[in-house]
Amino acid sequence: QVQLVESGGGLVQPGGSLRLTCAASGVIFSINVMGWYRRVPGKQPELVASITRGGSTDYADSVKGRFTISGDNAKTTVYLEMNSLKPEDTAVYYCNADWLLYTGKRGTSWGQGTQVTVSS
């Protein structure tokens, strides 16, 4: 129904930057919230950042001041600009979206995940 495709992960040195992109496709009426989560083996998934349809943003304390989430005008693509990356930011990052279709159906979708590795 709604597919999320992520891109932009990779290997970066500490202090470096990466930009993640998540694009939603489908017969979408609206996406109410889009967000980025990350998962490290052995730990609970963590909400990194989210953005609402109205543009309100929220960040995990661990990334405040370093990461910025933004969306396009169509509200179907979300970006995560990650600066001053630290080794502890290493994780698989997943995009998430809460959506509403023209049929009235609501749901949540996840992307396939993209690996971010911060290492020298």
Side-chain angles (χ1 to χ4, degrees):
Q1 289 145 12
V2 176
Q3 292 78 41
L4 303 178
V5 178
E6 302 146 343
S7 60
L11 172 65
V12 64
Q13 292 187 343
S17 299
L18 281 175
R19 188 192 199 204
L20 304 184
T21 300
C22 174
S25 62
V27 187
I28 304 168
F29 178 73
S30 67
I31 294 179
N32 298 319
V33 180
M34 292 188 80
W36 289 95
Y37 289 74
R38 63 187 181 189
R39 173 176 283 178
V40 175
K43 293 187 177 181
Q44 292 290 327
E46 175 187 26
L47 174 61
V48 177
S50 64
I51 184 168
T52 69
R53 190 162 179 260
S56 297
T57 59
D58 191 24
Y59 296 92
D61 288 341
S62 58
V63 307
K64 283 181 181 176
R66 300 188 298 121
F67 290 11
T68 302
I69 190 169
S70 61
D72 68 344
N73 289 334
K75 311 296 184 190
T76 58
T77 300
V78 66
Y79 309 96
L80 185 67
E81 192 75 37
M82 304 186 293
N83 298 313
S84 303
L85 282 161
K86 305 175 181 179
E88 50 264 43
D89 294 318
T90 296
V92 179
Y93 284 69
Y94 296 89
C95 180
N96 171 271
D98 292 337
W99 42 261
L100 172 65
L101 303 182
Y102 283 100
T103 60
K105 183 173 182 178
R106 294 181 181 271
T108 298
S109 294
W110 291 89
Q112 78 282 4
T114 184
Q115 177 70 46
V116 171
T117 302
V118 184
S119 175
S120 55

